[in-house]
Amino acid sequence: MATSQAPSTTTSLDRTCSSCKQSESNFQAPLQLCARCKTSFYCSRACQKADWKIHKAVCGEPADTKGVTDSNTQPTHGKLSSMESIAALLGGPFHEVVNHTYLHSFSRIDVFDRLIDSYRMRVEDDYNFRGDTNGLYNGENPLPDFRRFLDLAESRGDILPAWWSKQKRQVCERSGIDSRRWSDLNSAVKKQDIQEHYGDHLMPMKLRMLAETIYGTGVNDP
């Protein structure tokens, strides 16, 4: 559930939940804005998920529910988890993601940024493709959810560089909540944002594959 306090022309007296249609006056807590589009109000996470099939058509970039693709790549036919096929098609960094060596050649700050942005992309995809609201998209402090992401990364053995340590992880976490930086856990991110920031039209797919390797599942997996 979003907690954005973005200005709205709707007063608290006439706000209604976009799903159950109940007035804000019927609830003890104020209705919360969708963190992504900041146009629809919800009384609970359950109502936000129930309204997703309708709301996704107007919430920012429409999601392609048939599969996730980037330009110059082949469709994944509704599954984001066919990493071996993508690596065979595109080679290079995609092989490195599959082989758990992708992060090993970057500087420390670049590793931190890719972990943060991989997580941010996954939260965005979970919202677009599954209607799930996690971390920022659920109106929560995103740091605990990001820490669970890092826990998984550490449990995967060799995904993280050899220099990774408890102290370096703490630096990564602090970087993720530094609002002065572009890779900010408290800011939603879209595919186009990633492409423009990194100057790489395939970067969203690299980050999606990295997140899938860490989570062990794709956004379209059961």
Side-chain angles (χ1 to χ4, degrees):
M1 182 65 59
T3 57
S4 172
Q5 299 300 316
S8 172
T9 56
T10 305
T11 69
S12 60
L13 295 178
D14 55 13
R15 289 174 185 161
T16 58
C17 174
S18 295
S19 180
C20 69
K21 309 304 181 184
Q22 292 194 60
S23 171
E24 186 171 53
S25 61
N26 293 336
F27 302 100
Q28 292 183 342
L31 298 179
Q32 302 299 322
L33 275 171
C34 169
R36 189 166 186 264
C37 68
K38 294 180 172 59
T39 60
S40 295
F41 290 90
Y42 295 98
C43 65
S44 66
R45 181 177 182 180
C47 269
Q48 188 173 20
K49 292 189 70 173
D51 189 50
W52 172 242
K53 288 184 179 180
I54 297 173
H55 182 60
K56 68 179 179 181
V58 296
C59 184
E61 179 185 57
D64 175 6
T65 57
K66 295 182 180 179
V68 181
T69 62
D70 287 305
S71 57
N72 298 330
T73 67
Q74 296 298 316
T76 59
H77 303 293
K79 286 183 69 63
L80 193 63
S81 59
S82 54
M83 292 193 297
E84 292 81 3
S85 298
I86 296 173
L89 177 67
L90 299 174
F94 297 93
H95 275 303
E96 295 174 358
V97 173
V98 172
N99 294 329
H100 292 191
T101 59
Y102 174 66
L103 295 175
H104 294 193
S105 60
F106 294 111
S107 68
R108 293 177 182 179
I109 191 63
D110 285 344
V111 169
F112 298 158
D113 286 348
R114 281 162 174 77
L115 285 168
I116 294 166
D117 292 338
S118 177
Y119 167 80
R120 293 167 77 205
M121 276 295 302
R122 180 56 177 257
V123 172
E124 168 78 1
D125 284 343
D126 279 344
Y127 184 62
N128 279 334
F129 289 89
R130 301 171 66 95
D132 289 344
T133 52
N134 301 308
L136 175 68
Y137 286 66
N138 198 37
E140 302 168 346
N141 177 356
L143 185 56
D145 196 46
F146 179 61
R147 284 172 172 162
R148 288 188 284 271
F149 178 75
L150 293 181
D151 288 342
L152 287 172
E154 291 175 345
S155 73
R156 301 303 183 198
D158 53 0
I159 287 180
L160 298 171
W163 50 259
W164 186 268
S165 65
K166 180 179 179 180
Q167 290 71 29
K168 297 300 186 298
R169 171 175 169 153
Q170 291 173 346
V171 176
C172 180
E173 292 175 359
R174 288 196 297 269
S175 296
I177 56 175
D178 185 345
S179 61
R180 298 169 298 178
R181 305 188 68 254
W182 189 86
S183 298
D184 179 9
L185 293 172
N186 286 292
S187 297
V189 69
K190 298 181 182 179
K191 181 179 75 173
Q192 292 89 338
D193 300 328
I194 294 289
Q195 290 171 325
E196 292 175 6
H197 177 72
Y198 285 94
D200 181 356
H201 73 280
L202 291 178
M203 194 63 184
M205 185 60 72
K206 296 173 188 176
L207 295 178
R208 283 166 168 158
M209 288 178 64
L210 177 61
E212 182 174 332
T213 303
I214 291 172
Y215 281 113
T217 60
V219 294
N220 288 331
D221 289 345

